[in-house]
Amino acid sequence: VTLERRKDLAKGESQVIQTTITSLKLVSQTPKRIEVKVNLAYSDQRIKSSGEIVSETSIPSLKVTYVLGREKELWQLVDYISGS
């Protein structure tokens, strides 16, 4: 992601990304693992420094499964499955 942002800056562009969780369902949970299915509303815009919109994407309903794992006291994203 850092490399992508550097490329954007070199081109004089930036991105605006917005996402909202519209629903969340707990699939399974243990002390070291959590799996959830979510519905997201997603949109992004790539914008030139002049304010001109170069491109935009809008996905009103995107289904994603997230798997979180815990090692010691730290929770981390282990996997995600888009469209599931």
Side-chain angles (χ1 to χ4, degrees):
V1 173
T2 302
L3 181 58
E4 290 176 12
R5 296 300 69 82
R6 285 184 187 149
K7 288 179 183 178
D8 290 343
L9 288 173
K11 290 192 251 179
E13 297 179 353
S14 63
Q15 288 191 52
V16 176
I17 300 170
Q18 296 182 341
T19 187
T20 303
I21 296 173
T22 57
S23 69
L24 183 142
K25 178 184 175 188
L26 180 64
V27 175
S28 65
Q29 180 178 4
T30 69
K32 294 198 176 240
R33 184 181 181 280
I34 297 173
E35 180 178 345
V36 294
K37 288 187 180 271
V38 300
N39 262 352
L40 304 172
Y42 172 89
S43 66
D44 68 43
Q45 290 182 325
R46 179 173 294 279
I47 302 170
K48 288 186 177 182
S49 57
S50 66
E52 177 188 352
I53 297 172
V54 177
S55 65
E56 56 188 326
T57 303
S58 178
I59 305 171
S61 181
L62 177 62
K63 295 179 181 182
V64 183
T65 298
Y66 291 103
V67 179
L68 305 169
R70 187 176 86 176
E71 188 167 325
K72 298 184 182 179
E73 297 301 314
L74 181 64
W75 285 96
Q76 295 183 7
L77 179 64
V78 175
D79 196 10
Y80 69 95
I81 305 161
S82 184
S84 62

